[in-house]
């Protein structure tokens, strides 16, 4: 039938892409996202029993996570109470999240089981800290320990 041919010809080469986001149902962490031209390919993206998929949505792990089937912006890490401390061994920069997290301090990984990271120093120094505490956004800070006055 000529009508069908014209309709097919008119749409030839225009492929409707289906956006998708796969996430971990245990914590909402986005695992991967993309787009495909057919549902079979889309559903093949679900590889583990704890994974689920959202169709027609393409979200980034870096900015969002999934709660109750809805993409929510990852919250900002509240960060340290201060980034400058006195190098006296007792003044502390404190980061408290109330949940365990991972921190890398001057390149060395640390597991913060109680959810509270305190940095003190007896000597003047600068500490580079990176905190990964999902669902919080990753956080990077420099804590500077300054000499005590009167040395």
């Amino acid at each position: 039938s000529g009508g069908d041919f014209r309709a097919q010809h008119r749409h030839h080469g225009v492929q409707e892409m289906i956006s998708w986001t796969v996430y971990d149902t245990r914590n909402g962490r986005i695992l991967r996202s993309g787009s495909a031209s057919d549902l079979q390919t889309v559903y093949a993206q679900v590889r583990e029993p704890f994974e689920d998929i959202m169709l027609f949505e393409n979200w980034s792990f870096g900015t969002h996570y999934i709660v109750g089937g809805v993409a929510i912006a990852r919250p900002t890490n509240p960060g340290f109470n201060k980034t400058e401390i006195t190098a006296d061994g007792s003044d502390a920069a404190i980061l408290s999240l109330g949940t365990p997290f991972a921190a890398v301090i001057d390149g060395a990984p640390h597991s913060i089981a109680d959810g509270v990271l305190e940095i003190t120093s007896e000597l003047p120094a600068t500490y580079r800290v990176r905190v990964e505490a999902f669902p919080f956004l990753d956080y990077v800070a420099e804590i500077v320990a300054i000499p005590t006055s009167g040395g």
Side-chain angles (χ1 to χ4, degrees), residues 72-129:
I72 296 178
R74 289 175 61 189
T76 302
N77 187 309
F80 285 96
N81 62 330
K82 55 186 169 182
T83 55
E84 191 173 276
I85 58 175
T86 303
D88 61 5
S90 62
D91 192 21
I94 301 168
L95 188 151
S96 179
L97 295 179
T99 183
F101 62 90
V104 177
I105 303 169
D106 287 340
H110 298 271
S111 181
I112 313 300
D114 65 357
V116 179
L117 173 59
E118 289 190 25
I119 294 184
T120 61
S121 182
E122 294 183 2
L123 299 171
T126 298
Y127 300 94
R128 286 165 187 78
V129 182

Side-chain angles (χ1 to χ4, degrees), residues 62-63 65 73-79 95-97 133 135-140:
T63 57
Y65 69 121
R74 289 175 61 189
T76 302
N77 187 309
L95 188 151
S96 179
L97 295 179
F136 292 106
L137 293 169
D138 290 354
Y139 172 77
V140 177

Side-chain angles (χ1 to χ4, degrees), residues 21-75:
T21 297
V22 172
Y23 65 98
D24 187 327
T25 56
R26 299 168 300 184
N27 57 18
R29 184 184 296 264
I30 292 172
L31 303 172
R32 53 195 170 275
S33 60
S35 60
S37 58
D38 64 284
L39 282 173
Q40 186 175 351
T41 302
V42 170
Y43 284 118
Q45 302 305 316
V46 178
R47 301 172 192 154
E48 301 289 342
F50 56 81
E51 294 179 357
D52 201 358
I53 194 164
M54 294 173 64
L55 297 181
F56 312 111
E57 297 190 44
N58 193 319
W59 297 100
S60 164
F61 163 77
T63 57
H64 289 79
Y65 69 121
I66 309 300
V67 177
V70 177
I72 296 178
R74 289 175 61 189

